[in-house]
Amino acid sequence: MAASPILTSAHKIAVAGLGLIGGSLARRLVRHGRFVVAWNHTDRPFEAARAEGIRCVETLEDLAKGKPDVLILATPLRAMPEMLGRLAPVLTRGTTLTDVGSVKGLVRQQVQEAGLADRYVGAHPMAGSEFSGYEASDPNLLEGALWALTVDEYTDYGRFLTVADTVTQGLGNRLIVLDDQTHDRAAALISHMPHVVATALANLLVDSDDRNVAAALAAGSWRDMTRVVLTDPDRTEAMVDEDADQVAGLLDDMAARLTDMAGSLRGGDDRDRAGIHGFFSRAQPFRDYKAALASDRVQAEPAGTDSQSARSDLTLTDKGWRSELLDSARRGQEVESFLTTHLARVIQLPRVGD
């Protein structure tokens, strides 16, 4: 089938913020042939960005006045209200607004307060590192990244497709579609709460009398469990604080699980061996899921395709596209591309617990 023209309309893309994510996005979009214009709160990265083919402008207002097809806010979440306030008077109707924030409900509320809700589509790339700044950016940071696009009942389908084109064709990534609440619950579980747990582990080491011995002995498991502690702590604190209620609930759950495990370990020869075994065996569905993913990748490498991940086409309707795409995500499918405005190519991946 011939693709709809709207699927290739996101040619001129503006990026507000040339930090780790914004810089990586801009550089990758240029490499994929998109016209990229960028602004940053300081001009420090402009020389390096221009050398990569990124056009840079002096003000955020200039970025909006250039009438991009998509404007991506890649600024810290705490800066969003100010950025949106500056954009509201100058952002044209032809520009679709999106962002890369890790908390979607809060951003949508701020977008609504700025009067820009009718042109907004939420987005969150599942990529990052412990480093920051344009100098740490890398177009390969987004290699194989999955994006969550978030919508509500007012999201315009044409604008959604424009952002989807930016992700799938402009960046070569896949996406799933969620509502804000589902996204924020999941992000708290797999990102925000683990940052707190990792920091607690590092704090435990710092406060130990044996900290230097422990640090010398630390190897792969410690490195993998604490990598995110190397992130700028102010950035992590802001991220966690902006999702405070979700993170607090998960930490309560985690604390209860650890307390139960501590109780099972006590008692010498009479300790609760069934409880100990149950604690470690409970995660088997996740181990099976990871093994299935690894098997898919190994078998896909020779041909460069997902040989075990079944591709299929998902038909979308004008009235039901939001729920149809959300149901697709819950089934463990990722959208690889849009063949037409109402036909998506999806890939079925393994599911936890299947």
Side-chain angles (χ1 to χ4, degrees):
M1 298 182 181
S4 164
I6 199 168
L7 299 179
T8 57
S9 65
H11 176 69
K12 184 176 183 180
I13 300 170
V15 180
L18 285 174
L20 174 70
I21 298 299
S24 298
L25 279 172
R27 295 172 67 185
R28 190 174 179 89
L29 286 164
V30 166
R31 291 192 181 185
H32 281 239
R34 300 302 167 104
F35 185 97
V36 179
V37 185
W39 165 84
N40 193 62
H41 71 288
T42 71
D43 62 6
R44 183 170 52 85
F46 284 179
E47 182 178 355
R50 286 172 176 143
E52 293 270 354
I54 301 165
R55 282 77 169 175
C56 298
V57 296
E58 298 300 322
T59 71
L60 178 64
E61 289 79 3
D62 288 339
L63 194 68
K65 289 176 182 177
K67 299 181 180 180
D69 298 310
V70 175
L71 193 155
I72 304 171
L73 288 171
T75 55
L77 285 174
R78 60 180 176 272
M80 283 288 186
E82 179 194 351
M83 298 298 101
L84 292 167
R86 292 170 60 182
L87 286 171
V90 294
L91 195 68
T92 64
R93 297 284 307 173
T95 297
T96 294
L97 182 67
T98 188
D99 71 310
V100 295
S102 64
V103 180
K104 306 319 305 177
L106 176 62
V107 174
R108 189 176 300 277
Q109 178 184 341
Q110 293 169 344
V111 168
Q112 290 170 344
E113 291 170 354
L116 297 172
D118 61 338
R119 64 199 77 177
Y120 173 70
V121 179
H124 181 202
M126 305 312 297
S129 80
E130 63 270 31
F131 306 109
S132 59
Y134 185 82
E135 59 274 14
S137 69
D138 182 350
N140 294 322
L141 182 70
L142 293 156
E143 187 67 31
L146 176 70
W147 286 65
L149 300 192
T150 60
V151 301
D152 68 3
E153 63 271 31
Y154 303 110
T155 302
D156 179 81
Y157 190 40
R159 293 187 185 275
F160 163 78
L161 288 172
T162 301
V163 176
D165 170 70
T166 303
V167 172
T168 59
Q169 304 304 316
L171 293 164
N173 292 158
R174 298 176 187 170
L175 63 87
I176 60 175
V177 177
L178 305 173
D179 58 69
D180 297 328
Q181 296 74 23
T182 301
H183 170 275
D184 288 354
R185 288 195 303 270
L189 176 61
I190 54 88
S191 177
H192 307 160
M193 182 271 290
H195 272 79
V196 179
V197 173
T199 303
L201 284 171
N203 291 344
L204 193 64
L205 182 145
V206 168
D207 293 339
S208 171
D209 291 339
D210 295 322
R211 55 187 172 273
N212 291 317
V213 174
L217 293 174
S221 64
W222 177 265
R223 178 198 64 221
D224 293 344
M225 293 175 70
T226 59
R227 177 186 63 80
V228 295
V229 177
L230 304 179
T231 305
D232 176 359
D234 291 336
R235 192 174 88 187
T236 301
E237 180 183 345
M239 175 184 69
V240 171
D241 186 57
E242 285 150 355
D243 202 15
D245 289 342
Q246 298 274 11
V247 175
L250 287 166
L251 289 174
D252 286 339
D253 191 337
M254 175 67 75
R257 292 169 186 264
L258 294 176
T259 298
D260 287 346
M261 181 58 173
S264 296
L265 289 168
R266 293 190 177 95
D269 291 341
D270 294 328
R271 58 185 175 274
D272 180 8
R273 296 187 183 278
I276 297 169
H277 177 75
F279 179 86
F280 287 105
S281 63
R282 176 68 175 163
Q284 192 57 44
F286 180 72
R287 298 185 189 101
D288 294 340
Y289 162 75
K290 294 292 285 186
L293 281 179
S295 176
D296 277 358
R297 293 189 183 106
V298 168
Q299 296 185 48
E301 283 175 1
T305 59
D306 298 85
S307 59
Q308 296 300 306
S309 301
R311 280 180 169 83
S312 61
D313 293 342
L314 176 67
T315 300
L316 303 169
T317 61
D318 286 328
K319 292 185 177 180
W321 65 271
R322 299 172 187 83
S323 60
E324 290 156 1
L325 285 166
L326 177 57
D327 289 344
S328 170
R330 293 190 183 282
R331 291 193 298 270
Q333 295 175 337
E334 297 178 3
V335 177
E336 183 179 54
S337 63
F338 283 84
L339 306 179
T340 72
T341 53
H342 293 82
L343 192 66
R345 175 64 50 81
V346 299
I347 296 178
Q348 179 67 58
L349 295 176
R351 299 188 290 182
V352 180
D354 284 359

